[in-house]
């Protein structure tokens, strides 16, 4: 699964966060949700990646806000269970202008992922509620992080600096 490779890659540079904003941190939030904030460099968030994720036997899900927190994406990996074929589900979406209830939009996208998987494989009826346990707290934490510490980029070089 693509996500497992990312976990290994992220694990190489993680420092657990204490208080305040840690540069590369993986923080447990609630009910198995974890938040990662990696790639930050002072004055340059070009390589920053912020995510919340949760893994249960039926699905491995990652939510990633956009750099400006005005959009997001989900990646869901449904493993091969009980003879079913595995499925990858990726969805990118805008929150609109004015922004809609962002958490509700992410919930809708996750529900659609489960619906798509259920078309080809029986889904445990408790899987989606189990996955979504703690989502309110996890989404609030990532949303607060992106609001309190938006991405910062170095200034563009002046045109006449050549």
């Amino acid at each position: 699964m693509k996500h497992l490779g990312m976990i290994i890659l992220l694990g190489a540079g993680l420092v657990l966060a204490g208080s305040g904003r840690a540069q590369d941190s993986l923080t447990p939030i609630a009910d198995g949700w974890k938040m990662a904030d990696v790639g930050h460099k002072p004055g340059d968030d070009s390589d920053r990646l912020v995510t919340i994720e949760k893994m249960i036997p039926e699905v491995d899900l990652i939510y990633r806000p956009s750099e400006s927190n005005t959009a997001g994406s989900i990646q869901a990996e449904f493993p091969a269970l009980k003879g079913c074929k595995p499925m990858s589900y990726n969805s990118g979406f805008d929150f609109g202008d004015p922004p809609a209830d962002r958490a509700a939009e992410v919930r809708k996208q996750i529900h659609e992922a489960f619906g798509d998987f259920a078309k080809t494989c029986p889904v445990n009826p408790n899987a989606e509620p189990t996955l979504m346990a703690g989502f309110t707290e996890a989404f609030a934490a990532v949303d607060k992080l992106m609001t309190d510490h938006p991405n910062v980029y170095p200034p563009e070089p002046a045109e006449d600096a050549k």
Side-chain angles (χ1 to χ4, degrees), residues 67-126:
E67 293 176 353
S68 60
N69 202 24
T70 59
S73 64
I74 64 168
Q75 176 183 343
E77 298 290 334
F78 294 89
L81 296 173
K82 302 174 189 160
C84 296
K85 291 182 180 180
M87 182 184 95
S88 292
Y89 181 95
N90 297 293
S91 176
F93 43 90
D94 289 324
F95 291 127
D97 186 24
D101 178 343
R102 295 190 302 237
E105 180 61 29
V106 176
R107 279 188 190 89
K108 177 182 147 206
Q109 296 290 328
I110 293 168
H111 183 72
E112 287 178 13
F114 271 94
D116 279 1
F117 187 61
K119 291 175 185 174
T120 60
C121 189
V123 176
N124 175 346
N126 294 322

Side-chain angles (χ1 to χ4, degrees), residues 22-42:
Q23 279 190 2
D24 289 332
S25 62
L26 181 62
T27 307
I29 301 185
D31 293 311
W33 286 96
K34 295 179 181 151
M35 181 168 54
D37 182 0
V38 298
H40 166 77
K41 296 178 202 128

